[in-house]
Amino acid sequence: SSLALLAVAAASLAACGADTAGGRKTFELEIAAKDKGELQLDDGTRLVVDEAKLVVGPIRFYSGEPLFARRGADPGWGRRLAFAASALGALFTAPAAHAHPGHYQEGETLAEWLETRRVDLLAAAPLSLGLARGVEGQYRSMLVTLPKPPAAIGGQSLELAVTAKEQNRTVRFRASFDVVREVRGIAIDENLATTAQGTARVEVDLHALLRRIDVAALPESSSATAEHQDLDPEGQAHNALFRGVTSTDTFTARWIAR
């Protein structure tokens, strides 16, 4: 009956809300790069990142499912919401509206870090960003802001220098540009900021950042120790870097309990 369907739908939505209900939560936030050693692209090109600095902030955590779920992510919340919407839709004769594939619903804001910082991604240890403030709950996705650096920080959003080796060629290139983008719908590897104490670590995947570059199209360096050459702002490699740094594949976060 319609009443039975409504009761089931309400219970399902209540369960979704229960996932994000909780007391206040303050936790340490840090950032680090993954795979800081030699990287290898699909075509066999080997990359060594000589410099990698990125300006980040603010960073926010949400209850909504990520734009693209990582393998092994728990799809339960999405199934419950889809079932609830289906049950509620059965009560009405009007056609239901469906989200476009890939549409991101951020849900509730559960925690946020509101500062801006330049990060040396090649630092030996993760960089502490300070405290994120929010509430307990099921943290399923994240937003990372890549802003134009304020005057107090200076420079540009991304500053990168790379040495690439393919067969007998060595290519040394540099890129420095402002991004000014919010990277939304980033997947989180596990439940963050539960009642346990710990640190949320945002990780930047350098392989994902660089993997779109066609090194074969770049001019060879005169020697293995030659200066890095600036990328053509209109070229494929520059565009590939911009796509890489603004991709949800480049970022994730995990909870480190203590």
Side-chain angles (χ1 to χ4, degrees), residues 12 18 33 41 47 68 75 78-79 92 118 120 122 124 131 135 139 141-142 155 157 166 173 179 192 215 226 241 246:
S12 182
L41 302 183
L47 303 179
F68 299 105
R79 285 200 305 264
F92 305 97
R118 182 185 303 283
D120 181 358
L122 300 185
L131 295 177
V135 296
Y139 288 41
S141 61
M142 176 176 67
S157 302
E166 54 167 9
F173 62 87
V179 181
L192 296 185
V215 175
L241 274 179
T246 57

Side-chain angles (χ1 to χ4, degrees), residues 16-230:
C16 296
D19 285 345
T20 59
R24 292 184 180 180
K25 183 73 177 181
T26 300
F27 56 92
E28 294 285 344
L29 184 65
E30 64 184 26
I31 188 167
K34 297 175 62 177
D35 303 324
K36 288 183 284 190
E38 184 177 273
L39 309 174
Q40 184 166 317
L41 302 183
D42 292 340
D43 62 2
T45 301
R46 292 172 290 126
L47 303 179
V48 175
V49 181
D50 302 310
E51 178 185 1
K53 295 179 181 178
L54 185 65
V55 177
V56 300
I59 295 172
R60 292 183 169 88
F61 298 90
Y62 297 102
S63 63
E65 294 283 358
L67 182 60
F68 299 105
R70 293 178 181 271
R71 182 173 298 178
D74 176 15
W77 182 87
R79 285 200 305 264
R80 287 198 302 270
L81 185 58
F83 176 75
S86 176
L88 286 172
L91 300 179
F92 305 97
T93 57
H98 298 282
H100 187 277
H103 181 62
Y104 173 53
Q105 299 282 349
E106 63 189 25
E108 299 179 56
T109 303
L110 296 181
E112 55 189 8
W113 173 76
L114 299 177
E115 302 177 38
T116 301
R117 189 82 56 87
R118 182 185 303 283
V119 179
D120 181 358
L121 295 175
L122 300 185
L127 173 67
S128 174
L129 296 176
L131 295 177
R133 304 180 186 278
V135 296
E136 297 169 355
Q138 181 74 36
Y139 288 41
R140 295 182 175 89
S141 61
M142 176 176 67
L143 174 151
V144 173
T145 305
L146 305 175
K148 179 179 175 61
I153 292 179
Q156 294 185 286
S157 302
L158 177 67
E159 297 178 3
L160 189 75
V162 177
T163 298
K165 297 180 180 180
E166 54 167 9
Q167 299 179 352
N168 297 321
R169 297 177 72 243
T170 297
V171 177
R172 292 167 63 81
F173 62 87
R174 176 185 300 278
S176 179
F177 56 88
D178 285 332
V179 181
V180 193
R181 181 71 62 89
E182 290 182 336
V183 186
R184 295 176 173 269
I186 299 168
I188 291 174
D189 281 346
E190 55 192 290
N191 182 17
L192 296 185
T194 62
T195 55
Q197 297 298 311
T199 299
R201 178 179 296 174
V202 176
E203 294 185 322
V204 182
D205 188 332
L206 294 178
H207 182 272
L209 172 63
L210 295 165
R211 65 182 175 84
R212 297 173 175 82
I213 295 176
D214 181 8
V215 175
L218 297 176
E220 182 177 1
S221 298
S222 58
S223 71
T225 58
E227 292 187 1
H228 296 83
Q229 299 299 307
D230 291 333

